[in-house]
Amino acid sequence: MKYEATIGLETHIMQKTNTKMFCACKYEYGAEPNTHVCPVCLGYPGALPVMNEKAIELCCKAGLLLGCEINPYSKWDRKNYFYPDMAKNYQITQADQPLCLGGQVAVEVDGEMKTFTLERIHQEENAAKNTHVAGASLVDYNRAGTALMEIVSNPCMHSAADALAYLTALKQIMEYGGISDCNPEKGQIRSDVNVSVRPVGQEKLGSKVEIKNMNSFAFIQQAIEYEIDRQIEVLESGGKVVQETRGFDSDRGETFSQRTKENAHDYRYFPEPDLMPVKISAEQIGQWRSELPELPVQRRERYVKELGLPEYDAGVLTADMATSDWFERVMVHTRNAKAVSNFIMGEMMRLLSEHGLSIAESKVTPEKLAEIIALIDAKTISTGAGKQVFEIIFNEGGDPKQIVEEKGMAQVSDDSALEGWADEAIASNPKPVEEYKAGNAASINFLMGQVMKASRGKANPGAVMQMLKQKLDG
Amino acid sequence: MADLHKLTIAELSEKLAVGECTSVEIVNDVLAAIDATDGKVGAYLTIDRSSALEQARAADAARAAGKKNPMLGIPVAIKDLLNVKGQSCTCASKILEGYVAPYDATVIAKLRAAGAVLLGRVNMDEFAMGSSTENSALGQTRNPWNLGHVPGGSSGGSAASVASDEAIASLGSDTGGSIRQPAAFCGCVGVKPTYGRVSRYGLTAFASSLDQIGPITKTVKDSAILLEAICGHDKLDSSSIEMDVPAFGKNLTGETSLVGMKLGLPKEYFVEGMDPEVEKAVRDAVAHCKSLGAEIVEVSLPNSKYAIAVYYIIATAEASANLARFDGIRYGLRVDGKDPIELYGKTRAAGFGSEVKRRIILGTYVLSSGYYDAYYLKAQKVRTLIRDDFTAAFKQCDAILAPVTPTAAYKLGEKTDDPLKMYLDDILTTPVNLAGNCALSLPCGFSSGGLPIGLQIIGDAFAEETILKVGHAYEQTTEWHTRKPEIS
Ligand SMILES: [Zn+2]
């Protein structure tokens, strides 16, 4: 029998807000434990939540970037459960009236364009971080109460590749939108994955298994692949897939049972009486829409249409926001997009990967690259010399013009110098001269090489060619 | 001893202004009164004498430097569920053993800014759950008018401290009648402000959608002064309303006429089982208001009869979540267990009293999957009907007159074995919390046994000025509030 997998993702993304969701504490990754806390995020008696407006803006902007409908009226609910990662023992979240409804992510999977639809995005507060040491559990409340939004996809994916493409696109959009840095190592993007399997042709979905709280995209992919195989195996051997929550053991590459449906929590959701409902006007939505940044897809299109870059170049440049932003900064100073693209895709990427650096750390600034390109365009230096200048600056820093001067890299276009070298080349190489005159046009290249050699590479090749032709044709 | 403790905020404020007394003298008189009678009354849980005197000295110095405020130098007793930085805040529960508040509640910050003296912490029913203060895990408070009777609750310590002149005024909180009922039982004045009028920030929550902090004082004028001091928008409480604070205190000028005022009498509020003495005292008070020029109209609040049922669903539901934070992890009592869940169970079993447990279980039940619609959702719908009743009634009148409780203060232990019986006593106060409007309780007579009887004046949302005006006129023309208990 053939089987089909159905996959849905609940992705938690930590938003880039200055303060936590319901209090004025800052969030700083890696800070000394329990240093960014207050009565509100520690759940002290009498403390009350106050909504972070910036988080609402970022959540709605994320919604707009994903084509969601923004709910003009949404509200807060308490989700009750006892665990030391939640100071109040309830989480403030949105149950039945989330901020954003619908939406989709369009992405290419194995050469095929696919659209994955969303159910909703809601805003909530993050949990604290628990660490288990020998004989004790430690709780760090620095992360407790930070702004967290949950993007819930529909069960519309069918393979690990689908899920990976969806997550990659989602991450890219969130980064471009300034919503989140989406650093998986910092827990800024985490997903719960729902997987079910059914025989092809069966209408009813199979029993759903939820794999909780995974950061790494690679682990998500492994977990999905493992889970699909496991469920098919269960069905093949005549068994029934148990609806349950499973964890993923990354060392063994396997999922394991955590909690079955019978033991599922009753979260006893009810409206949060300490917070007013969120009302968002059409004007506000319009304002936010007008502030939305350009997404990778749109940038890519613009690079091709307006800057005349090849599709390939546009794809490479926009794959990562830092690179694309860097490219844009060079383009402020030059119009030669292709030259910039060549330098980034060539010298820059090679040197960055050799030295294990990020583009932000490069000693070649956008201004300096623009200057190098200007020197090449003005024929002051050759392209080859430009690459050398680039590498020198990358390694040692410095000013392009000064380097060209100090290293004597400027091209010679001066007629009298060129004429001397050209005459000498013609005089001492009668054979190629004869051949050229007899109609072998390629023979001029040999003479050209002689001139370049004599000038130690500094002669302007265009000017040399012109000079030689003038002398031989004339 | 100059008997300064027997005076009101208004009287002391005048004396202080003209230099007839100092705040230190007032505090000393009050501390002496506490020493003399609190062994019998049991209003206080903790008193910080040196801090109180230090605050009094600071208030006197501020006055000398030109500061003026009607609360400047006035000692106030604080219900033990408000956070005061550096003090314990027990909520009369064992579970908050050892907890020291790291911050000031907004009302406390406001009192500090006004220059009031924070005198000490007064007893209450554990987490404000109860109507007699008998649910305190930390001590018994008695009614100053008859030590064999309850002071009411949950702000029983607040009312008892004011009635026995062991405080000039007190702050309480009212979720279903917890200011008005003890005020009535102890012969004090108490105000439950409109929901949103006073910031709840720093008030340990019982039922967030119902809780309000308010004054318990010796006179209506004093309630007006103290209310004015604690009111106002607070960005730390999202349910707090952005609205100017009227000059509640100044606006009460001794006016005794109620001409032009329409007062409603709800036909459903003289309930079955009501003590005839209470009914008579209230009906006499209604007649008295009429004699002051008010027009009395009958109004109907038909859905108030569901208030107890609705209240005990909504309040317990909210409480079940609000009290979840008391788990032994970050502060307060901890009884260790082999894992967090066992630790929670043991800590909460040891830390909470039986009434608190009963309400947590009730609240957890009504929110449970499969029961939510039948209980919580239904209760919210009926709550809307109760509010609509008030809205309709206030189209016909400016304020509503009613009893506060069906009986005067009962004997200690009389109702402790029957929680339902005790719940039913809240029938006349809970509708106001559910509707969210304001109400005042003031003395309007005494039972044959010598226990005070309260009159409730209910106002529309944000109509505190109206109910204070009616109460003030009534008080100016009666003498009930001038009587003092003999504590023996
Ligand atoms: Zn905080």
Side-chain angles (χ1 to χ4, degrees):
Chain A
M1 201 182 294
K2 284 200 76 179
Y3 293 92
E4 174 192 53
T6 304
I7 300 159
L9 268 72
E10 293 163 19
T11 305
H12 292 89
I13 291 175
M14 273 177 77
Q15 293 141 285
K16 257 202 261 189
T17 52
N18 291 329
T19 55
K20 295 187 182 183
M21 189 60 224
F22 297 114
C23 64
C25 291
K26 284 194 166 47
Y27 174 66
E28 188 192 331
Y29 180 80
E32 184 76 11
N34 297 314
T35 50
H36 293 299
V37 292
C38 74
V40 177
C41 55
L42 283 178
Y44 268 50
L48 295 172
V50 178
M51 188 181 84
N52 183 332
E53 306 265 357
K54 183 69 185 173
I56 300 301
E57 177 187 328
L58 290 178
C59 185
C60 291
K61 281 184 170 171
L64 292 171
L65 289 169
L66 295 169
C68 301
E69 188 189 316
I70 307 301
N71 211 343
Y73 174 97
S74 72
K75 71 177 204 358
W76 302 101
D77 297 279
R78 290 185 183 178
K79 177 182 180 180
N80 295 284
Y81 69 92
F82 273 88
Y83 201 67
D85 68 359
M86 197 48 76
K88 305 182 296 300
N89 287 314
Y90 60 80
Q91 181 191 30
I92 304 177
T93 180
Q94 300 190 294
D96 57 342
Q97 297 268 33
L99 276 171
C100 311
L101 298 165
Q104 69 280 318
V105 174
V107 66
E108 208 178 288
V109 190
D110 299 332
E112 186 192 341
M113 257 336 256
K114 291 188 178 176
T115 298
F116 301 119
T117 58
L118 305 179
E119 184 195 315
R120 58 187 279 169
I121 308 176
H122 64 258
Q123 183 66 53
E124 58 189 29
E125 57 176 333
N126 211 343
K129 192 166 181 281
N130 286 8
T131 316
H132 303 285
V133 296
S137 291
L138 305 173
V139 195
D140 177 7
Y141 289 96
N142 282 350
R143 204 184 67 186
T146 52
L148 189 71
M149 54 180 201
E150 181 173 338
I151 302 179
V152 183
S153 85
N154 284 315
C156 58
M157 290 163 241
H158 299 290
S159 65
D162 280 359
L164 195 67
Y166 164 82
L167 274 177
T168 307
L170 200 61
K171 177 175 184 284
Q172 201 188 37
I173 294 168
M174 292 304 118
E175 285 169 0
Y176 266 82
I179 312 294
S180 170
D181 291 333
C182 284
N183 185 334
E185 280 90 59
K186 294 183 179 175
Q188 289 165 345
I189 178 164
R190 307 196 298 265
S191 297
D192 301 337
V193 183
N194 293 305
V195 181
S196 69
V197 159
R198 61 179 164 186
V200 169
Q202 180 184 305
E203 201 177 318
K204 194 171 169 282
L205 287 173
S207 290
K208 184 175 77 174
V209 167
E210 185 176 32
I211 312 159
K212 279 278 196 199
N213 207 19
M214 289 181 288
N215 298 4
S216 151
F217 287 15
F219 291 164
I220 291 171
Q221 193 178 6
Q222 278 181 41
I224 292 173
E225 279 162 359
Y226 177 86
E227 192 53 30
I228 292 173
D229 288 349
R230 186 189 70 85
Q231 291 185 23
I232 290 175
E233 222 166 275
V234 170
L235 294 176
E236 293 262 80
S237 61
K240 266 188 177 171
V241 174
V242 181
Q243 184 176 335
E244 63 181 344
T245 301
R246 296 177 75 88
F248 180 67
D249 180 338
S250 54
D251 292 335
R252 313 178 67 168
E254 294 174 2
T255 65
F256 59 93
S257 180
Q258 280 183 322
R259 197 167 57 224
T260 57
K261 190 191 172 192
E262 288 70 42
N263 298 319
H265 285 301
D266 178 357
Y267 289 118
R268 304 189 308 279
Y269 286 99
F270 76 102
E272 165 59 279
D274 286 332
L275 290 166
M276 300 299 108
V278 188
K279 289 175 187 160
I280 299 172
S281 66
E283 291 74 44
Q284 180 64 79
I285 295 169
Q287 172 65 32
W288 285 337
R289 201 185 287 280
S290 74
E291 292 165 8
L292 290 182
E294 199 179 31
L295 284 183
V297 190
Q298 295 159 335
R299 269 198 188 177
R300 203 166 146 170
E301 231 179 75
R302 182 164 59 83
Y303 289 1
V304 173
K305 281 196 184 143
E306 291 176 25
L307 302 178
L309 287 178
E311 284 277 1
Y312 176 78
D313 290 37
V316 173
L317 291 174
T318 55
D320 152 88
M321 188 175 169
T323 307
S324 174
D325 281 351
W326 203 90
F327 171 76
E328 302 257 324
R329 297 222 300 279
V330 188
M331 289 309 294
V332 173
H333 307 284
T334 179
R335 304 182 71 164
N336 194 346
K338 182 57 186 155
V340 180
S341 169
N342 287 345
F343 264 106
I344 292 177
M345 296 197 308
E347 307 313 301
M348 181 65 101
M349 289 192 172
R350 176 176 65 81
L351 290 165
L352 288 176
S353 86
E354 274 174 23
H355 294 84
L357 294 173
S358 74
I359 200 159
E361 295 166 298
S362 159
K363 287 195 181 117
V364 181
T365 61
E367 292 74 19
K368 286 179 182 174
L369 177 56
E371 224 174 293
I372 294 170
I373 291 169
L375 289 169
I376 297 170
D377 288 349
K379 305 204 167 21
T380 310
I381 54 173
S382 65
T383 305
K387 288 180 182 173
Q388 286 172 36
V389 174
F390 188 99
E391 188 155 354
I392 290 166
I393 298 178
F394 189 94
N395 289 319
E396 299 157 25
D399 173 68
K401 270 193 193 128
Q402 216 174 327
I403 290 167
V404 167
E405 220 163 276
E406 277 170 16
K407 310 238 166 192
M409 293 164 111
Q411 296 185 116
V412 177
S413 304
D414 171 46
D415 279 357
S416 62
L418 291 183
E419 195 155 16
W421 289 323
D423 286 347
E424 201 192 317
I426 292 168
S428 43
N429 295 289
K431 209 176 161 222
V433 172
E434 281 311 307
E435 280 168 11
Y436 177 79
K437 286 189 171 165
N440 187 355
S443 295
I444 202 167
N445 291 338
F446 178 80
L447 298 171
M448 169 96 177
Q450 294 303 305
V451 174
M452 294 308 287
K453 208 165 149 188
S455 75
R456 293 201 311 266
K458 282 188 276 181
N460 181 333
V464 173
M465 184 61 82
Q466 209 180 353
M467 174 83 59
L468 285 171
K469 278 187 176 167
Q470 204 179 2
K471 287 188 179 284
L472 297 172
D473 295 350
Chain B
M1 186 156 148
D3 280 356
L4 294 169
H5 61 291
K6 293 186 173 167
L7 303 183
T8 65
I9 299 174
E11 289 163 348
L12 289 170
S13 175
E14 248 169 63
K15 279 187 182 292
L16 285 165
V18 297
E20 272 180 38
C21 72
T22 65
S23 178
V24 171
E25 287 165 3
I26 299 170
V27 170
N28 275 325
D29 274 8
V30 172
L31 289 174
I34 293 171
D35 289 338
T37 55
D38 205 49
K40 291 172 181 167
V41 177
Y44 282 87
L45 291 173
T46 48
I47 305 157
D48 189 344
R49 289 163 194 269
S50 59
S51 163
L53 284 165
E54 197 180 304
Q55 293 173 63
R57 278 190 292 273
D60 287 333
R63 185 178 302 281
K67 182 174 168 124
K68 286 190 176 73
N69 190 295
M71 289 307 297
L72 182 60
I74 305 291
V76 182
I78 309 297
K79 188 176 181 179
D80 211 24
L81 46 42
L82 288 165
N83 280 269
V84 178
K85 192 175 178 176
Q87 291 187 5
S88 59
C89 175
T90 66
C91 299
S93 179
K94 283 190 271 188
I95 207 156
L96 274 165
E97 200 178 272
Y99 169 72
V100 176
Y103 73 106
D104 272 340
T106 298
V107 292
I108 298 300
K110 281 177 179 281
L111 284 187
R112 284 196 205 272
V117 175
L118 307 172
L119 187 61
R121 311 302 298 262
V122 282
N123 203 10
M124 54 187 280
D125 285 296
E126 185 177 2
F127 286 105
M129 296 177 178
S131 314
S132 67
T133 311
E134 290 167 297
N135 294 332
S136 168
L138 304 180
Q140 186 160 59
T141 304
R142 296 163 182 271
N143 193 313
W145 292 91
N146 184 329
L147 297 174
H149 287 241
V150 301
S154 64
S155 311
S158 298
S161 67
V162 171
S164 57
D165 289 324
E166 292 178 16
I168 305 303
S170 181
L171 284 187
S173 68
D174 192 315
T175 307
S178 282
I179 285 174
R180 290 160 288 160
Q181 185 256 24
F185 277 13
C186 292
C188 303
V189 177
V191 177
K192 197 294 278 186
T194 306
Y195 188 78
R197 182 66 105 173
V198 180
S199 167
R200 294 183 292 117
Y201 189 76
L203 164 73
T204 307
F206 161 16
S208 313
S209 75
L210 301 160
D211 294 341
Q212 272 290 290
I213 302 164
I216 294 184
T217 59
K218 298 173 185 177
T219 63
V220 174
K221 172 97 177 172
D222 277 11
S223 271
I225 294 167
L226 184 49
L227 179 63
E228 192 179 325
I230 61 169
C231 274
H233 177 64
D234 179 12
K235 59 182 187 342
L236 297 177
D237 174 4
S238 307
S239 64
S240 133
I241 304 288
E242 253 180 297
M243 210 179 201
D244 288 340
V245 179
F248 292 127
K250 243 187 226 155
N251 291 350
L252 298 184
T253 53
E255 176 64 53
T256 57
S257 167
L258 290 177
V259 172
M261 189 76 80
K262 266 192 189 172
L263 299 177
L265 202 58
K267 57 182 179 187
E268 298 89 355
Y269 273 46
F270 293 91
V271 293
E272 210 187 300
M274 179 167 284
D275 184 334
E277 285 185 338
V278 171
E279 176 160 355
K280 181 170 187 308
V282 172
R283 290 207 186 271
D284 286 350
V286 172
H288 183 81
C289 289
K290 196 174 175 186
S291 76
L292 297 176
E295 183 188 340
I296 309 295
V297 295
E298 190 184 78
V299 295
S300 178
L301 299 166
N303 291 296
S304 284
K305 62 175 174 285
Y306 303 119
I308 293 295
V310 170
Y311 175 81
Y312 278 93
I313 289 170
I314 292 172
T316 58
E318 292 178 5
S320 72
N322 283 334
L323 271 63
R325 67 188 63 199
F326 304 109
D327 59 8
I329 301 286
R330 285 143 294 126
Y331 48 77
L333 180 76
R334 176 191 287 188
V335 183
D336 269 315
K338 65 177 186 328
D339 55 33
I341 301 303
E342 195 182 289
L343 182 153
Y344 295 150
K346 285 186 168 176
T347 300
R348 290 162 68 82
F352 288 137
S354 59
E355 181 60 27
V356 173
K357 286 176 187 160
R358 181 169 17 252
R359 295 197 194 190
I360 290 172
I361 291 167
L362 201 58
T364 305
Y365 176 77
V366 299
L367 290 175
S368 299
S369 145
Y371 297 96
Y372 181 87
D373 289 2
Y375 294 108
Y376 187 81
L377 203 63
K378 184 79 143 280
Q380 288 293 8
K381 287 177 181 165
V382 180
R383 180 178 188 173
T384 306
L385 296 178
I386 292 170
R387 187 180 297 145
D388 291 349
D389 282 357
F390 278 105
T391 307
F394 286 117
K395 287 198 174 111
Q396 292 170 260
C397 63
D398 302 302
I400 290 168
L401 301 179
V404 183
T405 55
T407 67
Y410 40 86
K411 286 199 184 86
L412 288 164
E414 194 179 320
K415 298 191 181 183
T416 41
D417 292 337
D418 191 349
L420 191 61
K421 212 164 154 192
M422 204 170 310
Y423 294 174
L424 289 172
D425 284 348
D426 299 337
I427 181 78
L428 302 168
T429 47
T430 48
V432 177
N433 300 78
L434 291 166
N437 45 325
C438 60
L440 175 156
S441 164
L442 82 170
C444 71
F446 284 81
S447 71
S448 50
L451 287 158
I453 295 170
L455 169 69
Q456 188 173 201
I457 307 172
I458 303 169
D460 203 351
F462 302 102
E464 281 86 352
E465 281 187 283
T466 310
I467 58 172
L468 289 167
K469 190 182 163 194
V470 175
H472 187 58
Y474 179 83
E475 194 179 71
Q476 296 296 298
T477 51
T478 54
E479 52 76 43
W480 309 114
H481 65 286
T482 62
R483 295 197 194 178
K484 300 271 185 192
E486 229 159 86
I487 300 163
S488 53

